[in-house]
Each structure stands twice: as structure tokens, then as C-alpha cells.
Amino acid sequence: MAQILIVEDEARIASFVAKGLRAEGHQPTIASDGPSGLDEALSNRFDLMVLDIGLPGMDGFEVLDQLRSQGSRMPVIVLTARDSVTDTVAALDSGADDYMAKPFRFAELMARVRVRLRQASESGSSAYEDVLTIAGVRLDRRTRLAQVRGTDVDLSAREYTLLEIFMLNPGQVLTREQLLDHVWGYDFDPGSNVVDVYVGYLRKKLGSAAIATVRGVGYRFAT
Ligand code: CA
């Protein structure tokens, strides 16, 4: 899971991108104007930023310029108006790593997000790790394959996302609400026992000791 900042003033586009990123297991944050986007980018640890150019308050070029002048090397993918060669060149000149012309297909944006996260991970400039290995469980986030003590384990998409959030927070108690929000989305019925059911599935695959129940609170991976 990567922390991704979306700076986009069109609510429809921002929520479409956020929803898709969440489905891929990432944690998106939305800022809807230039100043708040810059503020978020400088005060929190993000692995990547998706930045619109036309923004109220301060345009994307200025956000990028200030970000780079404050020393941030965060990968930035800029969203430009369709066929605006000037915007594209200017964006790359001012320190963007990549760009997408609007309108874009989500799959295309995700492919670029993956490339940038991988490069940042390889160059050591991001906290994003491709492979998580904790307590005998290995999770490869490029291939989405899990192994338990060297043996492959098949995971469904939900099981993968659940295991990933556990492995990113080893030893920490995650509440049912946190897990429900992260894996199933905010509009899922909070009274549902789907989290408990899926923790049960993971225990069958990983061994029952992998995830501890913290009574009345939630669950904890690898103590
Ligand atoms: Ca805009």
C-alpha cells in the first residue's frame, strides 16, 4: 500500500481516481486546491502525488515548483489538458516525473503509478516496499503472490488487501472499522461480520497463530 496524494479540484475525477487507488490497495488523500495540496505534500509522508494543472489558488506548475524548491523528490504524475503540448513540456520541465492527458483511462494511470512507485522504491527515495516479509510470510506486491515458509498460498483480491494492511502494520492492533474501511470501502455496512470471516480465511491459509484476536477491539498480525 502506498500513500498517494491526489490534488484535483474536480470532485468527480478526484473521487474516481481515489476509488480506483483504494481498490488497488493504496491509501489516497484528496486535496482540492493548490495551497492545500502543497501543504499536504510538504507536511505528510506521501509515496506519490497525482497533480492536476488547472487548480484554484495556485496552479499545478507552482505547486510543483515550490515542492521541488523545498527539496521534495516525491514522484509526481501531472494531469494535463488533452493535447496541450505546452503544458506537458512545462510540467516535465518543472520537475514532474510523468504526465497523463485528460481524459485518461484509469488502467493507464495505474500503470504509470506502478512504474513510478517501483522506480522510487528501487532508488530508495520512497518508503514503498515491493516485497514484505514478516513472521515467515512473504508478500510480493508486484505479482500479488503470497508464500508461507516458502510455500505458495492462493489469495483472493480481498484476502490480499487484508493481508497487505496487516503486514504494513505488524504488531499493531487494527480495529474492525479500520479493516472494513480499507478493504471493503466506506459504504460497507459497519454491522457486517465480513472482517471476521476474512480473518478466518487468512488464518486457514497462514496458520491460526498468524493473526491474534484482540477482544473487543480488532486484530493484530505477528506479535
Ligand atoms: Ca482542474
Side-chain angles (χ1 to χ4, degrees), residues 34 37-39 41-42 49 51-53 55 58-74 76 78 90-97:
L38 180 63
D39 193 49
L42 291 173
M49 173 158 71
L51 175 66
D52 186 32
I53 290 298
L55 289 169
M58 182 193 288
D59 72 16
F61 295 125
E62 199 179 336
V63 171
L64 193 53
D65 189 52
Q66 295 219 20
L67 188 71
R68 293 302 184 226
S69 70
Q70 306 237 16
S72 168
R73 303 303 318 145
M74 184 198 309
V76 175
V78 159
L92 295 174
D93 275 352
S94 49
D97 298 275

Side-chain angles (χ1 to χ4, degrees), residues 80-93:
T80 63
R82 186 171 172 73
D83 296 334
S84 172
V85 177
T86 326
D87 270 12
T88 304
V89 170
L92 295 174
D93 275 352

Side-chain angles (χ1 to χ4, degrees), residues 166-179:
F166 273 126
M167 291 185 75
L168 287 166
N169 300 279
Q172 288 180 42
V173 180
L174 299 176
T175 66
R176 278 186 183 74
E177 291 71 29
Q178 284 174 322
L179 296 169

Side-chain angles (χ1 to χ4, degrees), residues 8-10 52 54-55 102:
E8 167 63 79
D9 59 318
E10 269 179 79
D52 186 32
L55 289 169
K102 284 181 181 177

